[in-house]
Amino acid sequence: MVLDEAALDARGPERVEAFSDGVFSIAITLLVLEIQLPNLGENPSPEALITALGSLWPSYVGYVVSFLTIGNAWINHHNLFRLVGRVSHGLLISNLLLLMAVGFLPFPTALLADTLGKPGEQVGVVVYAGTFVFASIMFNVLWAAVKKVLRPGAPRSAIEAINRSYLLGPPISIAALVIAFVNPTLGIVVIGGLMVLYLLPRASGT
Amino acid sequence: MVLDEAALDARGPERVEAFSDGVFSIAITLLVLEIQLPNLGENPSPEALITALGSLWPSYVGYVVSFLTIGNAWINHHNLFRLVGRVSHGLLISNLLLLMAVGFLPFPTALLADTLGKPGEQVGVVVYAGTFVFASIMFNVLWAAVKKVLRPGAPRSAIEAINRSYLLGPPISIAALVIAFVNPTLGIVVIGGLMVLYLLPRASGT
Amino acid sequence: MVLDEAALDARGPERVEAFSDGVFSIAITLLVLEIQLPNLGENPSPEALITALGSLWPSYVGYVVSFLTIGNAWINHHNLFRLVGRVSHGLLISNLLLLMAVGFLPFPTALLADTLGKPGEQVGVVVYAGTFVFASIMFNVLWAAVKKVLRPGAPRSAIEAINRSYLLGPPISIAALVIAFVNPTLGIVVIGGLMVLYLLPRASGT
Amino acid sequence: MVLDEAALDARGPERVEAFSDGVFSIAITLLVLEIQLPNLGENPSPEALITALGSLWPSYVGYVVSFLTIGNAWINHHNLFRLVGRVSHGLLISNLLLLMAVGFLPFPTALLADTLGKPGEQVGVVVYAGTFVFASIMFNVLWAAVKKVLRPGAPRSAIEAINRSYLLGPPISIAALVIAFVNPTLGIVVIGGLMVLYLLPRASGT
């Protein structure tokens, strides 16, 4: 249902942020449910347990990469909404579509963890990179909606920094997708490396 | 436990919104847990994996439809609570009953995903549409409670827009339920179409 | 870690409320995960599906009773924290212990749903009622902590209403526990009836 | 993506707190999902049910210890953020890494519950204690980031209390890890005891 433009104008983004924070924090916390020990019978020996814990390494990789991905997406979302002056219908919808990508991430993460180091590895990495492509496009759609409802006094430098950064998102994630088709291991390294790079403080330090 | 009317008067709806935001965001994020690969053994071939991923299409449909449904319900809830001036006991109870419908949605979604394209399809669509009917009735009950505690200056146009829009909810969802009894595929198309329609910006654009 | 009394004095209860809202809303939304169809094979007939959906009635009862229970507990918590002036260490700890009871409820709910109408029914109802006893005691412990940090101007009538209402909690829930030992069906009816009673508006209406 | 220092300066920690509250409250509520009855067939006798409920004691221990652990971590986080004046990139990243440890806790909790009183007990306790070590180190990293962005007027006494308390965290949790290698039961007693100790009010009372 869409209300009057005038009525919408009066709305601040606080509840949109609260709802989004909920989705981000749940998606990031659900990731741990994908880490599961294989069934080892009633009383496994310590050695069997240690071997099983070791064999879960793809799950640990998936947990860390996806935790950093969703955490980084949240930081981006946080920075974006600092610039929002009022809530438009376009903002609500594009935000919902971005959250749909974020909320979906536990599935490709589980697939990645199930396939790393196995014959289906390429399928797992391609699906994972594909979700990335979708999310990076959705971030640009959301950004286009935010730019129509900027708050007065939103710093020009922040807008330009986001412009630059977001334009790079889709080509880089599409590149990771293409690389995954050629060499899945390299594809996941590119995605993991991107995450670390994004999370590093700038040269000036903070 | 019910407190003094006078004491209740002083309460703003912020915590009711926070609790509701939690339920909405969790219900929408739990949907992804219903997307699960069938057991393919230890080392499935890439081909087997791709076939299995493709066979999950009813789960993807369920995820998208339910994500849009809960997202749309949240937008409605958001618009409704902008008009609330104070919290009444009736508001708390009717809000709780609406959340009971929202929180239930992952179950009919899983049922739908398990039955689409299979003999039990009709059962799945009917249960799904039935949950819709319940939710649309609960939205009207909540709206009746909100109208008793409107904030001063709530715009007349917004109230009338909600009146019109909510009155249509139960008959349309009952229609989808009836259609589902006759033709389940058409029933799910009607529900999906309604969601997209509700989410489209108005002609004037936003 | 415990900080200075003086520093604690300055703290408002907003973040304690936000954390508690999170636990309440997650516990209430997790309840739906306990409703699960039995494995019916690949392509169950519509009749088999309908029978299976019908046989889930104990899960529906569990969902509704527990949803109303947690919802009612949240309303109580909401009313209680309206009276809080500052956050004490005792408030944090007793709140945490109450949340431990709330967060535990999905387990006895699942047990109840697994046992209603079966030989183990009594065990299920007794464990459920026992969780109620624990929660009602914890509400009194929390209330004792709240009374030490009341905000200035907390209405005397609200304090007395809570005093009366909370004192009844433990004896009534212990009574339900005793009844469950004699007649489990009656025990669950008493608990369900209590919930409905608590949620009804007072005679004066709201 | 990192924005201008000047722009960051203007940001309050409210949304960081909301996101963190979400992760804490979800991690603490997910713990109950690890308590699961073994499959007892269709109609277990009351005696079989009671035996099964009794045999779940390691799960109850895991639930209580992890609930107190995450609850205690939340109280620490709460106290820490009261001192934050502005959000820096370093704060966001170190907070994310701490949340990664908190969100991981349901996994070692499940492992602990699966191994207590069984041959693999030592493995379970060592992994659990290891997660503690990681979390206590991350709390110190976060604290180092917070100290760079203290709010004006943050009480000296609170800062010194945190300094003292946090410095003890890593050595004590490493000690628990070492003890777990020698005597797993003693290791879990040390961790449990630490939690109770941390949660007790100080001598002066609150």
Coordinates of all heavy atoms in Angstrom, one line a residue, chain B residues 30-65:
Chain B
L30 N 14.1 -16.4 8.3 CA 14.0 -17.8 8.5 C 13.6 -18.5 7.2 O 13.9 -19.7 7.0 CB 13.0 -18.2 9.5 CG 13.4 -17.9 11.0 CD1 12.2 -18.4 11.9 CD2 14.6 -18.7 11.3
L31 N 13.0 -17.8 6.2 CA 12.5 -18.4 5.0 C 13.6 -19.2 4.3 O 13.4 -20.2 3.6 CB 12.0 -17.3 4.1 CG 10.7 -16.7 4.6 CD1 10.4 -15.5 3.7 CD2 9.5 -17.6 4.6
V32 N 14.9 -18.6 4.4 CA 16.0 -19.3 3.6 C 16.3 -20.7 4.2 O 16.8 -21.5 3.4 CB 17.2 -18.4 3.7 CG1 18.0 -18.5 5.0 CG2 18.2 -18.7 2.5
L33 N 16.0 -20.9 5.4 CA 16.2 -22.3 6.0 C 15.4 -23.3 5.3 O 15.7 -24.5 5.4 CB 16.0 -22.2 7.5 CG 16.9 -21.3 8.3 CD1 16.5 -21.5 9.8 CD2 18.3 -21.6 8.1
E34 N 14.3 -22.9 4.7 CA 13.4 -23.9 4.0 C 14.0 -24.4 2.7 O 13.5 -25.3 2.1 CB 12.0 -23.4 3.8 CG 11.4 -22.7 5.0 CD 11.1 -23.8 6.1 OE1 11.2 -25.0 5.8 OE2 10.8 -23.4 7.3
I35 N 15.0 -23.6 2.2 CA 15.7 -24.0 0.9 C 16.8 -25.0 1.2 O 17.8 -24.6 1.7 CB 16.2 -22.8 0.1 CG1 15.2 -21.7 0.1 CG2 16.7 -23.2 -1.3 CD1 15.8 -20.5 -0.7
Q36 N 16.5 -26.3 1.0 CA 17.6 -27.3 1.3 C 17.8 -28.3 0.2 O 16.8 -28.8 -0.3 CB 17.1 -28.0 2.6 CG 17.3 -27.1 3.8 CD 17.2 -27.9 5.1 OE1 16.4 -28.8 5.2 NE2 17.9 -27.5 6.1
L37 N 19.1 -28.5 -0.1 CA 19.4 -29.5 -1.1 C 19.1 -30.9 -0.6 O 19.2 -31.2 0.6 CB 21.0 -29.4 -1.3 CG 21.5 -28.5 -2.3 CD1 22.9 -28.7 -2.6 CD2 20.7 -28.7 -3.7
P38 N 18.5 -31.7 -1.5 CA 18.3 -33.1 -1.1 C 19.7 -33.8 -0.8 O 20.7 -33.3 -1.3 CB 17.7 -33.7 -2.4 CG 18.0 -32.8 -3.5 CD 18.2 -31.4 -2.9
N39 N 19.7 -34.8 0.0 CA 20.9 -35.5 0.3 C 21.5 -36.2 -1.0 O 20.8 -37.0 -1.6 CB 20.7 -36.6 1.4 CG 22.0 -37.1 2.0 OD1 23.0 -37.0 1.3 ND2 22.0 -37.4 3.2
L40 N 22.7 -35.8 -1.4 CA 23.3 -36.3 -2.7 C 24.4 -37.2 -2.4 O 25.2 -37.5 -3.3 CB 23.7 -35.1 -3.6 CG 22.6 -34.2 -4.0 CD1 23.2 -32.9 -4.7 CD2 21.7 -34.9 -5.0
G41 N 24.6 -37.7 -1.2 CA 25.8 -38.5 -0.9 C 27.0 -37.7 -0.7 O 26.9 -36.4 -0.7
E42 N 28.2 -38.3 -0.5 CA 29.4 -37.6 -0.2 C 29.9 -36.7 -1.3 O 30.2 -35.6 -1.0 CB 30.5 -38.7 0.2 CG 30.7 -38.9 1.7 CD 30.9 -37.5 2.4 OE1 32.0 -37.0 2.4 OE2 29.9 -37.0 3.1
N43 N 30.1 -37.3 -2.4 CA 30.8 -36.5 -3.5 C 30.0 -36.4 -4.8 O 30.3 -37.1 -5.8 CB 32.2 -37.1 -3.8 CG 33.1 -36.9 -2.7 OD1 33.3 -35.8 -2.2 ND2 33.8 -38.0 -2.3
P44 N 28.9 -35.7 -4.8 CA 28.0 -35.6 -5.9 C 28.8 -35.0 -7.1 O 29.6 -34.1 -7.0 CB 26.9 -34.7 -5.5 CG 27.4 -33.9 -4.4 CD 28.4 -34.7 -3.7
S45 N 28.4 -35.5 -8.3 CA 29.0 -34.9 -9.5 C 28.4 -33.5 -9.8 O 27.3 -33.2 -9.3 CB 28.7 -35.8 -10.7 OG 27.3 -35.7 -11.0
P46 N 29.2 -32.7 -10.5 CA 28.6 -31.3 -10.8 C 27.3 -31.4 -11.5 O 26.4 -30.6 -11.2 CB 29.7 -30.8 -11.8 CG 30.9 -31.5 -11.4 CD 30.5 -32.9 -11.0
E47 N 27.1 -32.4 -12.4 CA 25.8 -32.6 -13.1 C 24.7 -32.8 -12.1 O 23.6 -32.3 -12.2 CB 25.9 -33.7 -14.1 CG 26.8 -33.4 -15.3 CD 28.3 -33.5 -14.9 OE1 28.6 -34.2 -13.9 OE2 29.1 -32.8 -15.5
A48 N 24.9 -33.8 -11.2 CA 23.9 -34.1 -10.2 C 23.6 -32.9 -9.3 O 22.4 -32.6 -9.0 CB 24.4 -35.2 -9.3
L49 N 24.6 -32.1 -9.0 CA 24.4 -30.9 -8.2 C 23.5 -29.9 -8.9 O 22.6 -29.3 -8.4 CB 25.7 -30.2 -7.9 CG 26.2 -30.3 -6.5 CD1 27.6 -29.6 -6.4 CD2 25.3 -29.7 -5.5
I50 N 23.8 -29.7 -10.2 CA 23.1 -28.7 -11.0 C 21.6 -29.1 -11.2 O 20.7 -28.3 -11.0 CB 23.7 -28.5 -12.4 CG1 25.1 -27.8 -12.2 CG2 22.8 -27.7 -13.3 CD1 26.0 -27.8 -13.4
T51 N 21.4 -30.5 -11.4 CA 20.0 -31.0 -11.5 C 19.3 -30.7 -10.2 O 18.2 -30.3 -10.1 CB 20.1 -32.5 -11.8 OG1 20.9 -32.7 -12.9 CG2 18.7 -33.0 -12.0
A52 N 20.0 -31.0 -9.0 CA 19.4 -30.8 -7.7 C 19.0 -29.4 -7.5 O 17.9 -29.0 -7.0 CB 20.3 -31.4 -6.6
L53 N 20.0 -28.5 -7.9 CA 19.7 -27.0 -7.7 C 18.5 -26.6 -8.5 O 17.7 -25.8 -8.1 CB 20.9 -26.2 -8.1 CG 22.1 -26.2 -7.1 CD1 23.3 -25.6 -7.7 CD2 21.7 -25.5 -5.8
G54 N 18.4 -27.2 -9.7 CA 17.3 -26.8 -10.6 C 16.0 -27.3 -10.0 O 14.9 -26.6 -10.1
S55 N 16.0 -28.5 -9.4 CA 14.8 -29.1 -8.9 C 14.2 -28.4 -7.7 O 13.1 -28.6 -7.2 CB 15.0 -30.6 -8.6 OG 15.8 -30.7 -7.4
L56 N 15.1 -27.5 -7.2 CA 14.6 -26.7 -6.0 C 13.7 -25.5 -6.4 O 13.4 -24.7 -5.6 CB 15.8 -26.2 -5.2 CG 16.5 -27.2 -4.3 CD1 17.7 -26.5 -3.6 CD2 15.6 -27.7 -3.3
W57 N 13.4 -25.4 -7.7 CA 12.6 -24.2 -8.1 C 11.4 -23.8 -7.3 O 11.2 -22.7 -7.0 CB 12.3 -24.2 -9.6 CG 11.3 -25.2 -10.0 CD1 11.5 -26.5 -10.5 CD2 9.8 -25.1 -9.9 NE1 10.4 -27.2 -10.7 CE2 9.3 -26.4 -10.3 CE3 9.0 -24.1 -9.5 CZ2 7.9 -26.6 -10.4 CZ3 7.6 -24.4 -9.5 CH2 7.1 -25.6 -10.0
P58 N 10.7 -24.9 -6.8 CA 9.5 -24.4 -5.9 C 10.0 -23.7 -4.7 O 9.3 -22.8 -4.2 CB 8.8 -25.8 -5.6 CG 9.3 -26.8 -6.6 CD 10.7 -26.3 -6.9
S59 N 11.2 -24.1 -4.1 CA 11.7 -23.4 -3.0 C 12.0 -22.0 -3.3 O 11.8 -21.1 -2.5 CB 12.9 -24.2 -2.4 OG 12.6 -25.4 -1.9
Y60 N 12.6 -21.8 -4.5 CA 12.9 -20.4 -4.8 C 11.7 -19.6 -5.0 O 11.6 -18.4 -4.5 CB 13.8 -20.3 -6.1 CG 15.0 -21.2 -6.2 CD1 15.3 -22.0 -7.3 CD2 15.8 -21.3 -5.0 CE1 16.5 -22.8 -7.3 CE2 16.9 -22.2 -5.0 CZ 17.2 -22.9 -6.2 OH 18.3 -23.7 -6.2
V61 N 10.7 -20.1 -5.7 CA 9.4 -19.4 -5.8 C 8.8 -19.1 -4.4 O 8.4 -18.0 -4.1 CB 8.4 -20.3 -6.6 CG1 7.0 -19.6 -6.5 CG2 8.8 -20.4 -8.0
G62 N 8.8 -20.1 -3.5 CA 8.3 -19.9 -2.1 C 9.1 -18.8 -1.4 O 8.5 -17.9 -0.8
Y63 N 10.4 -18.8 -1.6 CA 11.3 -17.8 -0.9 C 10.9 -16.4 -1.4 O 10.7 -15.5 -0.6 CB 12.7 -18.1 -1.2 CG 13.7 -17.1 -0.6 CD1 14.0 -17.1 0.8 CD2 14.3 -16.1 -1.4 CE1 14.9 -16.1 1.3 CE2 15.2 -15.2 -0.8 CZ 15.5 -15.2 0.5 OH 16.4 -14.3 1.1
V64 N 10.8 -16.2 -2.7 CA 10.6 -14.9 -3.3 C 9.2 -14.4 -2.9 O 9.0 -13.3 -2.5 CB 10.8 -14.9 -4.8 CG1 10.3 -13.6 -5.4 CG2 12.3 -15.1 -5.1
V65 N 8.1 -15.3 -3.1 CA 6.8 -14.9 -2.8 C 6.6 -14.5 -1.3 O 6.1 -13.5 -1.0 CB 5.8 -16.0 -3.2 CG1 4.4 -15.6 -2.7 CG2 5.7 -16.1 -4.7

